[in-house]
Amino acid sequence: LLDGTITSWNPAAERMYGYSAQVMIGKTDKLITPKDQAVELKAVLKRITAGEHVKNLETMRVRKDGTVIPVSLTVSPIRNADGAIIGTSVIHRDLTDQKGALAVAERMAAIVECSDDAIISRTLDGIITSWNPAATRMFGFSSEEMVGKSINLLVPQDLASEMITMLAEISAGRAVSDFETTRIRKDGTPFPASLT
């Protein structure tokens, strides 16, 4: 209902929040809404009573055990036979796993960016897809100069067959570790390198 009273509560909601339908039906959504989100609830209600839909609103909700979780809400108005808005339909999606994966990805990106080792990713056909600051320091090429280019720009011509051998290992699912070779800097000078 428009006052936040819950009139239906499915099994997915039971699993997500820990409350049974018997407990929740007739209660208000304030039970699962953090106290500091009251203003947000009013803003959503205002939009719904104006006939709008609210899609993918990222916010927080509270489980029965007190755990606060990130959720995405999609809220739609419910109308009676005369077209008057009498309530809302709310789809809750738990973003805990997504937010956790994003945090891991952000930490990994920070590690790559701050590493003293040149970290370069490439496609199986040798096109560079990422280039960290340490690679810029080591090779002299900026990321803008190298992403989208062939890894062969860094390989002496007489060592081109190495790349074929390494690619065969990687394509077979095997790692290449501490492979000692030579690479070329932007200014053309060769230097010893260890590849993993």
Side-chain angles (χ1 to χ4, degrees), residues 110-169:
I111 291 168
V112 168
E113 286 299 303
C114 295
S115 176
D116 288 331
D117 293 323
I119 301 175
I120 304 166
S121 63
R122 52 172 261 200
T123 64
L124 288 178
D125 59 355
I127 302 302
I128 295 170
T129 57
S130 70
W131 183 268
N132 75 341
T136 297
R137 291 189 297 275
M138 182 178 288
F139 290 98
F141 292 101
S142 69
S143 175
E144 292 78 17
E145 290 175 291
M146 292 307 292
V147 171
K149 301 284 188 341
S150 173
I151 196 78
N152 291 332
L153 291 171
L154 310 175
V155 181
Q157 287 184 350
D158 62 329
L159 297 178
S161 63
E162 275 183 1
M163 297 303 293
I164 295 168
T165 304
M166 280 196 295
L167 182 59
E169 289 293 307

Side-chain angles (χ1 to χ4, degrees), residues 51-125:
E52 294 181 43
H53 294 262
V54 176
K55 294 183 181 178
N56 304 318
L57 171 68
E58 290 194 15
T59 187
M60 305 302 278
R61 290 295 177 262
V62 183
R63 289 187 170 135
K64 183 179 181 180
D65 66 5
T67 305
V68 178
I69 60 168
V71 297
S72 172
L73 304 178
T74 297
V75 188
S76 301
I78 297 175
R79 299 176 186 272
N80 66 12
D82 298 326
I85 298 170
I86 58 169
T88 62
S89 169
V90 185
I91 299 169
H92 297 239
R93 189 168 44 128
D94 185 348
L95 299 178
T96 303
D97 290 343
Q98 283 180 321
K99 295 291 184 182
L102 179 60
V104 168
E106 288 172 343
R107 281 193 301 275
M108 288 304 299
I111 291 168
V112 168
E113 286 299 303
C114 295
S115 176
D116 288 331
D117 293 323
I119 301 175
I120 304 166
S121 63
R122 52 172 261 200
T123 64
L124 288 178
D125 59 355

